[in-house]
Amino acid sequence: MPSNAPDLRDTRELHLFNGGPPLRLLRLWGRFDPDHQHVVRRALIVACVGWLPLLLLALLSIPAGHDEVWRAFLRDASVHARSLIVAPLLVLAEAACIPLLGELAHTFRDRGLIPATELPAYERVVHSIRRLRDWWLVEAVAVVLAYVLAVLLVTHVPTSFLPDWHRSASEGAPLGRSPASWWAMLVSLPLLLVLLLGWAWRIFLWALYLWRVSRLDLRLVASHPEGAGGLMFVSYSLNSFSLLGIAIGVIVAALELAHLLAGGDITPEQLGRVAFGSIVFVLVLFTAPLLCFCAPLLRTWRQGVKAYGALAQRVGTSLEDRWMRSPPGPETAEPLSSPDFSAVADLFQSVEKAYQMRVIPVELRSAFTLAMATALPFGVVALALVPFDKVLEKMVGLFL
């Protein structure tokens, strides 16, 4: 076996991103699930902890004669979306995204993109990412920052700026907040923030890994059929981020829906601008790390155009000299029976691939999937803006 052949037994990258807040806390607690087999159960627990106590505390206002608190809680679409949809999605995304990111990282080694001379540097990259992933300070900062933000909201945001269920109807309540409001600010919100910060850290680690790998002397192939020197596989990461795109879309769309349910006015144009901004934000967030390969791909394209162009010139000149510029002879009497033309045609297809090589490793289909996932929650809100009879009329019109 050549010295630079990939070691298929080395799979250290497969769990490279399987950490960060709050997974390290689960590891310290002895509940860490490295294969994400119980991720659905964890998502249900997160939903119950974040939302069920709010429901029970809001229900307690009914016997006390404060039905308006219960009605205000039901109308607050944003709190239901955050606790029942966003937080569980952030947990479920661990099973959908983390393994795929590890497989994509392992592909660099598996495909032989890392030459033997760069293996020591690549091992240092993997080791540094693993060390950052398991850095206990990140976990502590995430928890502390989540509670600092929650305390700042409690102390600096008046209840008049919040939905009515945050305000206590009884005299002497701390800061005038209801029990449900305290649970939301001290449990539900920090839980959601820790999950969001955990994903922010993993995205940072993924971007850092790609950037450090892009600085290595990779073995890229200008005529690779994928069209990006053999790096187009990194674009598949966009598909794995679809659940995160839905979660971000739900956070923003729920705010618009809550404003609409509270009696506010939202036009389809306004909703479209918000949806477009959210889609652009998500695409930039998850596509930007892939752009670090533009420089090595551009360098490979230039080298490929030069090398393949010179080879095509030599082969094409030789073919024309033999078949078009020399007197016909017995060996050139039957051109269709000669393998020269098919071999040259195959070569020219490789040359064409080299000339058409992409310098941006982003597959449009993957980007479109991520964009549609982010836009999905806004489609639900858009249905709320259109009367049902109008929707039914349009649907019937499609079949008549």
Side-chain angles (χ1 to χ4, degrees), residues 30-149:
R31 301 292 182 179
F32 180 57
D33 181 19
D35 298 322
H36 307 284
Q37 295 180 354
H38 307 294
V39 67
V40 175
R41 184 173 64 185
R42 286 181 49 223
L44 291 175
I45 292 174
V46 166
C48 290
V49 171
W51 182 80
L52 191 57
L54 296 179
L55 175 67
L56 297 177
L57 292 172
L59 279 172
L60 291 177
S61 64
I62 298 179
H66 304 297
D67 296 354
E68 68 281 359
V69 175
W70 166 250
R71 290 193 295 269
F73 175 76
L74 290 180
R75 289 195 302 268
D76 190 0
S78 59
V79 68
H80 306 309
R82 289 194 301 267
S83 298
L84 288 178
I85 301 178
V86 176
L89 278 178
L90 295 177
V91 176
L92 294 174
E94 296 171 5
C97 186
I98 291 177
L100 181 57
L101 293 182
E103 291 177 5
L104 294 179
H106 178 64
T107 303
F108 284 96
R109 187 194 300 270
D110 190 37
R111 285 192 178 183
L113 291 167
I114 312 296
T117 55
E118 294 286 1
L119 278 177
Y122 178 73
E123 295 294 345
R124 289 193 294 271
V125 171
V126 173
H127 178 71
S128 65
I129 297 299
R130 185 183 297 110
R131 187 174 64 251
L132 289 173
R133 180 200 67 188
D134 297 331
W135 196 15
W136 67 269
L137 184 61
V138 174
E139 201 92 6
V141 168
V143 175
V144 171
L145 182 59
Y147 271 96
V148 167
L149 292 176

Side-chain angles (χ1 to χ4, degrees), residues 296-307:
L297 285 174
L298 181 59
R299 183 168 58 249
T300 300
W301 176 78
R302 289 173 176 171
Q303 296 172 351
V305 167
K306 181 179 179 180

Side-chain angles (χ1 to χ4, degrees), residues 203 206 210 235 237-238 241 279-292 294 360-363 366-367 370:
I203 294 169
W206 170 244
L210 293 180
S235 182
S237 63
L238 301 181
F241 289 127
I279 293 172
V280 171
F281 170 77
V282 169
L283 288 177
V284 170
L285 176 64
F286 296 118
T287 303
L290 309 182
L291 302 183
C292 62
C294 290
I360 300 178
V362 177
E363 187 185 41
S366 298
L370 179 59

